[in-house]
Amino acid sequence: MQRTSQYPGMRLLQVSEQTVRRRTVEKLKLELERFPLTPLRIKGGLLSFKPSLLAHQVKEDDSRCTVSLYLRNCEGSDRLLVLCRMTGGFYARGQSQEAPARAPQVVERRFIINCDEDDGETRRAFDMDEVISLQPDHPFDQVTVLFHVYDVASPRAAVGVGHHLNQARLQGNLCDLKLVVEGVELLAHRLVLAARSPVLSNMLTGDFREAREGRVELVDASRVVVEKFLEFLYTDLIEEWQDSELELLQLAHKYMVPELGTECSLRLWSCDPPGALEVLHAVGLSEIICGPLRQRLTAIVVDNHKVLADTPQWLEFKKTFPVLVDTMLGHKAQTSYTMASVWSL
C-alpha cells in the first residue's frame, strides 16, 4: 500500500491537497491572472503561504497551455522541508466505461524554506515563481497540488524521559505489567500506559482483573503492531512503520490515543487506490476514521473505480457493504470540481 512518504528523523507537520479542473484555471489565461488555491497555514506560525496556479501559452500560435504553481507571501519561523507534487490527471467520473485509462502526469520538487535567516524580530515575506509546472504535451483535465511539510530544524529523535523509560521496558527493568498478544508476553510499565490512554488507565487503576493481575490480553492485534503501539506510547515516535498504519489507527481509536490517530491519518492520506479500498473495507461504517479522511479515501476509490471494479477486494467490499457502495457510486456526479483538504498536527 503506497502511503505518505516520510523522511527519517523529520516530523511531518502538514499534508495539504487541492484539486481543480484545468479549464477553471485556463479561464484566467487571457488576463494572465492566477487561480488562488487554499492558503497553507501551520499552527504556531511555523509556516504560511498562498499557493496559486497560472496557465500560460507555450507559444503565441499554440493554444496549448503550461500550468505552473506560484507561492506568495511565504512566512514562517523555522527551517522546513516542503515536498510539492503536481498531478495532471483526468476527471474519471466523466469518462465512459469504454474509454481507455490514461496515465497521469506527475512532477515533484523538494525544497527547503528557511524562515529564520533574519536577525531581527520582523520576518520577511517572500515569493516563489513557477515552483513546478505541468507541461502541455501530456494531456490532462484536472490538476492536483499536494504539499507535505516536514520540520528540519527539530528532528524527532527519541530522547528524554520517554526514551529512557522505553529502554527500561525493552530491558525488562522495573516493569509491572504484561501485555499478552499472540501468546507472547510484552513487558511494560502500567504508569506510562495509564498516562497515555484513558481506556488503559481505567483498566489498570479500577476494580478490574487487569489491574489486579497486572496482565492485559490483546486479541485483535498482531504482536508486531502492539510493539509499535508501545513504542509510540513511550516515545511519541515510530521508527519503522512497516505498513502498520491501519492496525495502529484501530488501536489508537480503541484505546483513545488521539496523537497516534493523527499520525496514522496523515500517513493514510496519500494511499494508492487499493490501499484506500483496504482502509474503507476495514473501518466499514465505524467512526475510526474522521469525515475528511473518509471523504478523501472515497474520492480515491471512486475516481479509480474502473481499475478496481473487477478485483477480488472490490467484489468483497461490495458484498459486505452494498448500501455504502451504492452511496459512493451514486454521488459520483455530485462531487465539486474544486476540492481542498488540509491535515495538520
Side-chain angles (χ1 to χ4, degrees):
M1 182 191 297
Q2 180 182 349
R3 300 179 176 94
T4 298
S5 59
Q6 288 277 346
Y7 291 87
M10 296 186 192
R11 184 186 182 192
L12 177 60
L13 297 175
Q14 189 169 84
V15 177
S16 173
E17 181 178 74
Q18 185 166 355
T19 298
V20 297
R21 295 299 297 275
R22 176 175 179 169
R23 65 168 178 256
T24 302
V25 179
E26 291 184 344
K27 286 180 180 179
L28 304 176
K29 176 178 60 178
L30 296 179
E31 294 83 5
L32 292 179
E33 294 184 18
R34 288 186 291 270
F35 180 82
L37 300 176
T38 301
L40 184 144
R41 296 185 180 90
I42 298 180
K43 291 183 295 185
L46 291 177
L47 179 67
S48 66
F49 56 74
K50 297 179 180 179
S52 59
L53 297 175
L54 176 64
H56 46 90
Q57 291 180 234
V58 179
K59 301 177 181 178
E60 292 185 3
D61 58 348
D62 192 339
S63 61
R64 297 179 303 164
C65 293
T66 295
V67 177
S68 300
L69 174 70
Y70 290 72
L71 303 183
R72 289 290 179 263
N73 300 327
C74 298
E75 291 186 280
S77 60
D78 220 332
R79 189 164 178 260
L80 304 172
L81 170 67
V82 179
L83 165 64
C84 175
R85 181 182 300 135
M86 284 182 69
T87 303
F90 302 93
Y91 194 54
R93 301 175 184 84
Q95 296 183 23
S96 66
Q97 292 296 322
E98 293 76 19
R102 295 176 287 180
Q105 176 187 177
V106 180
V107 289
E108 188 172 289
R109 179 182 173 187
R110 298 169 176 83
F111 52 89
I112 297 290
I113 293 184
N114 194 351
C115 299
D116 58 359
E117 292 179 341
D118 294 339
D119 295 330
E121 296 183 359
T122 302
R123 296 170 298 180
R124 295 177 299 175
F126 60 92
D127 300 332
M128 298 181 66
D129 294 338
E130 297 189 37
V131 176
I132 199 168
S133 300
L134 293 175
Q135 302 303 319
D137 52 353
H138 191 111
F140 58 91
D141 57 24
Q142 69 178 23
V143 180
T144 298
V145 180
L146 175 68
F147 295 104
H148 295 169
V149 183
Y150 297 87
D151 187 357
V152 178
S154 303
R156 299 181 66 189
V159 295
V161 174
H163 168 69
H164 293 294
L165 283 173
N166 193 47
Q167 291 301 309
R169 174 184 70 86
L170 294 174
Q171 296 167 9
N173 294 336
L174 302 177
C175 295
D176 55 0
L177 179 67
K178 296 177 181 179
L179 299 183
V180 183
V181 54
E182 295 181 343
V184 178
E185 293 182 344
L186 302 178
L187 300 178
H189 304 91
R190 69 170 68 199
L191 177 62
V192 175
L193 271 59
R196 295 303 307 269
S197 164
V199 176
L200 289 172
S201 178
N202 289 337
M203 293 172 61
L204 298 173
T205 60
D207 186 20
F208 296 101
R209 185 186 66 182
E210 291 83 359
R212 294 190 299 270
E213 298 179 357
R215 179 185 176 93
V216 178
E217 294 189 12
L218 303 177
V219 297
D220 52 357
S222 66
R223 173 186 173 182
V224 172
V225 171
V226 172
E227 288 176 340
K228 296 183 185 302
F229 181 61
L230 285 172
E231 179 185 5
F232 188 88
L233 294 183
Y234 276 78
T235 68
D236 280 325
L237 178 68
I238 294 177
E239 291 286 354
E240 299 291 339
W241 286 81
Q242 298 178 320
D243 292 341
S244 60
E245 291 89 347
L246 178 55
E247 288 184 81
L248 284 168
L249 181 64
Q250 293 169 323
L251 284 176
H253 176 77
K254 180 176 181 179
Y255 294 105
M256 299 178 65
V257 185
E259 300 86 357
L260 177 58
T262 299
E263 288 271 1
C264 295
S265 297
L266 277 167
R267 293 178 59 86
L268 290 171
W269 182 260
S270 297
C271 280
D272 57 12
L277 179 59
E278 178 187 348
V279 175
L280 290 176
H281 195 174
V283 303
L285 300 175
S286 70
E287 297 181 357
I288 294 178
I289 58 175
C290 65
L293 181 56
R294 181 182 292 277
Q295 182 182 16
R296 163 65 179 159
L297 298 178
T298 299
I300 294 175
V301 170
V302 171
D303 279 346
N304 295 275
H305 178 240
K306 287 176 59 178
V307 177
L308 298 170
D310 295 326
T311 63
Q313 293 78 10
W314 173 259
L315 297 177
E316 181 64 25
F317 179 62
K318 184 177 180 180
K319 178 181 177 180
T320 307
F321 302 105
V323 176
L324 180 57
V325 169
D326 289 342
T327 302
M328 291 168 57
L329 300 182
H331 287 76
K332 284 195 287 188
Q334 300 180 23
T335 302
S336 171
Y337 291 162
T338 302
M339 180 182 69
S341 300
V342 177
W343 282 79
S344 62
L345 286 172

